Amino acid sequence: MAKLFKHSHLQVNIQRILEAAFEQNILDSTILDLLPRYYLSQGDTEKSIQFYEKLTQHHPSTLHYYKTLAELYVKARHYSKAGKIFQLLLKKSPDLALDIAKKCEETIKFCPMNQEIRQCIISGYLKACYPERVATHIRERYELDSSYSKNAIRDFKHALQIYPKHAVLVRELAKVLIHDQEFSEGVEHLSLLYRIQKNQSTMIQAQLQIVLKHHSQHPLALQLVLDIKMDQKDYKACLTMLNTLVGLEVMDHPKLEDYLLTLKKEAKDQKAQCDYLLAKLYFSYKSSQDFLTQCVLLKGTPYEKDVALLNASLLAKQNDF
């Protein structure tokens, strides 16, 4: 029959016979060979699709049929259907993940807003162990579609379960969280990123400024800024921040005390200012003995009069201590 099929005047009749047999679920090797070749020669993509749709139903374990069907869907611009087949292939054969991701990457150029194809790219690169490509495509999808933000966070967190502490994933997740005004969780991931890669401090500080613009007294953001400034030995900036923070109830007193005691050791030329801020801190949370100790240390310094005023206030309110 294959030889007869080559004769054009017989093709139409033979095709009808083969199609009738195929409709009766007769899946003879000759039918499987000739029908798709005929459809291909005629450029009949829709009939090819119908042919392979039926084959996948009868032979669900034959991956080649799924791959061919997905490619036909792409050719016919049925991108969502192609995406579903690619997702199915990812489940059936993770070994194909990289090929599928690359194929979907080519396809998305023609349908940039197609969510099924974009999800295939993310899932494919995730299974193929390309976390940076995963981060790139989640970010691109998020930038194109703001409604994807919650799912972007979900996808980043899922990727981080597989690749814990991957710097690019942590960085991009932090950015999305902060953009969505999930400030506390965003700063937690910035803090993690800083522990992983301290050379990211410029980007981290830029993101922290966004947080502080919305919430000027955000304790986690202020603490991370202080940590970065301390590591950079920018003691002047640290003292400026601490001078503000000591008078605010936004950070735990023990944490502020730790910063000031560290600064007192590291920035010896700023020792008097550190002692003064410690005195203000102890005064603010009514640790009278520690406050009086600092008063003694500040005698003969430019801050002696300032602590004397605080001391006078303390004596006037002794009953409060």
Side-chain angles (χ1 to χ4, degrees), residues 12-76:
V12 175
N13 290 331
I14 294 172
Q15 180 192 350
R16 288 173 181 167
I17 295 170
L18 294 177
E19 286 179 335
F22 187 68
E23 287 298 319
Q24 296 298 315
N25 296 325
I26 298 171
L27 306 180
D28 180 81
S29 60
T30 301
I31 296 173
L32 300 183
D33 176 47
L34 294 180
L35 270 183
R37 282 166 56 187
Y38 179 78
Y39 296 145
L40 179 64
S41 69
Q42 295 298 310
D44 197 334
T45 304
E46 290 302 323
K47 279 200 172 182
S48 294
I49 286 173
Q50 293 170 16
F51 179 81
Y52 280 99
E53 282 177 339
K54 189 165 185 176
L55 281 184
T56 57
Q57 293 171 10
H58 286 276
H59 296 282
S61 60
T62 306
L63 299 180
H64 168 70
Y65 295 154
Y66 288 96
K67 289 173 67 177
T68 303
L69 179 57
E71 290 170 1
L72 286 167
Y73 279 143
V74 170
K75 186 177 180 181

Side-chain angles (χ1 to χ4, degrees), residues 238-250 277 280:
C238 291
L239 285 167
T240 299
M241 286 187 68
L242 286 165
N243 188 44
T244 302
L245 288 169
V246 165
L248 300 173
E249 295 295 329
V250 297
L277 290 175
K280 285 178 66 177

